[in-house]
Each structure stands twice: as C-alpha cells, then as structure tokens.
Amino acid sequence: MNEKFSSAWTKMLDKLETWFDNIVLNFPNFIIAFVVFLIVLLISKNINKVTLRFLDKSKLQRSMKNLISKLISAIIILLGLFFVLGILNLSKTLNTILAGAGVLGLAVGLALQGALANFYSGIVLSYVNFVKFGDWVESNGFEGEIIDIDLRSVTLRQVDNNLVYIPNKMVVDSPIKNYSTTSQSRVILGCGVHYDSDLNLVKELVVNTIFKEFEAVTNKQDVLFLYKEFADSSINFETRFWIDSTSALEVAKAKSEAIIAIKAVFDANDINIPFPIRTLDFPEGFLNTGSQNPGISTNP
C-alpha cells in the first residue's frame, strides 16, 4: 500500500515539475500574448472611433452607425484572440473551439430565438429611414418620441416623460404610425348642438372660429365642416382642419384650444351643447296610486 502511495506521489511530482517547466519555457510567450492582446484592445477602441467618424459623413442613422462600429470592433478582438492562441501554441485548442462553435451556435440559436429575432429586427430598424431618432410615433398601443434604437428594443419617451421599451420584433411586425414624416397633421373634432339651433349659424361660427384661432388655417375653405347624424338629444357635427405639427401632442393641444374657442363662441350666441336627457312618462293616476303606498312620497 505504501509503495503504491509512494509511486502515485512520485508521478504527481513529476507531472507538476513538467507543468512548471512548460510554464517557465512558455513564460515569454505569455508576456508576448498579453502585450499583443492589449494592443488588439487598443486598436479595436481606436478603430471604433475612426469608424464612427467615417460613418458620420454618411446618411445612415445613428443606431446603424453604432452597430457597424461595434461589429468591426468585435471582429478585430476575435481575430486578436485567435492570434494570441497561436502565440501560446494552442492551435489544437483553437481547432477544438472552431469545431465546437457550430454545435454551440445551433444550441444557442434554438435557445435564444426571441433574442435573435429582436437582434435582426434592430438591424432592420437601424437601416430604414421612416423610423429614426426624434420621430414621434405610435406603435403597439404606445405613443412617444424615439430616443433610442438598439439591438433589443426601441425606446419611446411618452408625453408624461415616462420611457417605454418596445421589443424590436414587435415594432417590425406591427403597424407603426409616424407623425414626423409629414409637416402637417389633421385635427378632427366632433361635437353636437341642440335641435333648436340654427345649423347654418353653427357652421359659420365654427368655421370662423377655427380660421381665427389657428395660423396654419389660411383659408376658410380649408376647414371641413360636416353634419353627421341626428342623435338622441343633439345634431352631431364634425370639423376637420390642418395644423403645422409633427407630433401627436401638438394635435391634442390644438384640439383642446379648438374646444375652448368653440364653447366660448357658442355661449356668446346662445347655442346649447346638450347632454343626454331621460324623460319618464307616468301613466294617468300613477301619483295618486303612489300616495297610498307608504314607500312612495309625492311631496316636492
């Protein structure tokens, strides 16, 4: 038993001695590999800056510029890593890594389908021109200004200054409304007036009010006024006009200003905006019958 233990101990010492000899012999390679890797990192960082400066002269979006520069930087680091493995005489290890990369890539691809879909969608969004930084958009039930597009999500700043992060795949697969693609937006405002109102006067007052309140409306003919229906307690109308705006927030503000102005001119001209009224018809003798019931009072 002691002989076996002594033999095993001797073999372990020989193995440790061999490792120590290899470390000493390859120590210069370690130093060179470390220096080379530091140089590669420095080159990658400088290449990233140079690439961004070069791409700033192009018409690509900022997100696309950042993506290209990061990919170039990552490729340089990867090549530097292979070069370092060669310096360390780890060519067999390098071959093993390359052989296993295919299997690992397949496994990662299956496990990260959603993340890869967002990655691809982020590249698509970075390339298209109709979705860019500073645009006011509406997508997937959220509305706001685009402040960032990365490889995972689109970041919107809403009216209340809260941030919404929408996965890129959802933005690509869903309809998106961009208010910033045109210099004008249409304001659509609905209202109703009492049945006793002079409809021609109502139309004239609304058109004149919109024309006076909004500088973008340069002609009364630009204000579209339409009566829509005979409702339960009102005759409903809709008015439409254009304003200079690239934001849904400006449209909401214009609608609010129009409501205030129209309500004021209606009050000045004794035009009522009715609210729903319910009329109850009691059969003849109902009140007299109710007076005999202690649960019903007919007193005013």
Side-chain angles (χ1 to χ4, degrees):
M1 183 69 179
N2 291 333
E3 293 180 358
K4 292 182 179 180
F5 179 80
S6 177
S7 176
W9 179 259
T10 301
K11 291 180 180 180
M12 184 184 71
L13 291 178
D14 293 339
K15 191 69 173 179
L16 291 175
E17 184 178 356
T18 302
W19 287 356
F20 180 76
D21 292 340
N22 290 331
I23 292 174
V24 172
L25 292 175
N26 291 307
F27 186 75
N29 291 342
F30 290 142
I31 299 297
I32 295 174
F34 180 74
V35 172
V36 168
F37 190 69
L38 290 180
I39 294 175
V40 168
L41 291 178
L42 183 62
I43 293 175
S44 173
K45 185 176 180 180
N46 291 330
I47 288 294
N48 188 14
K49 295 180 179 179
V50 172
T51 304
L52 284 176
R53 291 177 184 174
F54 177 77
L55 293 176
D56 283 339
K57 301 177 182 179
S58 66
K59 296 182 179 180
L60 293 175
Q61 295 192 53
R62 188 173 67 186
S63 56
M64 192 64 181
K65 297 174 184 178
N66 293 335
L67 174 62
I68 294 175
S69 62
K70 290 179 180 179
L71 287 177
I72 294 177
S73 179
I75 291 173
I76 292 176
I77 293 177
L78 185 62
L79 293 176
L81 180 62
F82 288 161
F83 188 60
V84 167
L85 292 176
I87 294 176
L88 295 175
N89 295 323
L90 298 177
S91 56
K92 293 183 179 180
T93 304
L94 178 59
N95 293 334
T96 303
I97 293 175
L98 293 177
V103 178
L104 180 62
L106 179 60
V108 171
L110 293 175
L112 302 177
Q113 292 184 24
L116 292 176
N118 286 326
F119 178 85
Y120 173 75
S121 299
I123 296 177
V124 173
L125 290 174
S126 298
Y127 185 75
V128 298
N129 294 322
F130 58 85
V131 178
K132 55 185 180 297
F133 286 84
D135 284 358
W136 192 279
V137 301
E138 180 180 350
S139 178
N140 291 278
F142 298 99
E143 181 180 312
E145 177 189 359
I146 298 178
I147 62 172
D148 190 22
I149 302 175
D150 56 27
L151 297 179
R152 189 188 68 85
S153 62
V154 175
T155 305
L156 301 182
R157 177 182 283 118
Q158 294 185 299
V159 179
D160 56 5
N161 204 39
N162 286 322
L163 301 181
V164 177
Y165 304 92
I166 306 177
N168 293 329
K169 185 176 183 300
M170 294 179 62
V171 178
V172 171
D173 293 342
S174 303
I176 181 169
K177 186 176 183 179
N178 193 333
Y179 293 91
S180 301
T181 54
T182 56
S183 60
Q184 286 189 321
S185 297
R186 171 168 280 185
V187 180
I188 302 176
L189 176 62
C191 187
V193 293
H194 197 273
Y195 273 88
D196 295 336
S197 303
D198 185 339
L199 298 186
N200 290 324
L201 177 61
V202 170
K203 178 178 180 180
E204 181 181 355
L205 291 174
V206 172
V207 172
N208 289 337
T209 300
I210 298 299
F211 174 71
K212 293 177 182 178
E213 292 292 328
F214 298 94
E215 297 181 357
V217 181
T218 58
N219 196 320
K220 292 183 180 180
Q221 281 69 33
D222 295 336
V223 181
L224 180 62
F225 184 97
L226 299 170
Y227 284 106
K228 295 182 61 178
E229 61 180 346
F230 293 98
D232 292 339
S233 57
S234 64
I235 298 177
N236 295 335
F237 68 85
E238 183 177 272
T239 181
R240 303 182 181 186
F241 58 95
W242 295 92
I243 62 170
D244 295 328
S245 169
T246 57
S247 167
L249 178 60
E250 295 299 325
V251 174
K253 289 180 179 179
K255 182 180 291 187
S256 175
E257 294 173 4
I259 290 174
I260 295 173
I262 292 174
K263 177 63 167 59
V265 74
F266 279 1
D267 291 343
N269 290 270
D270 296 327
I271 296 176
N272 294 324
I273 302 176
F275 50 86
I277 298 175
R278 295 292 180 265
T279 302
L280 299 179
D281 284 336
F282 295 102
E284 186 177 354
F286 176 80
L287 295 178
N288 294 331
T289 303
S291 62
Q292 299 175 4
N293 189 334
I296 300 178
S297 175
T298 59
N299 294 329

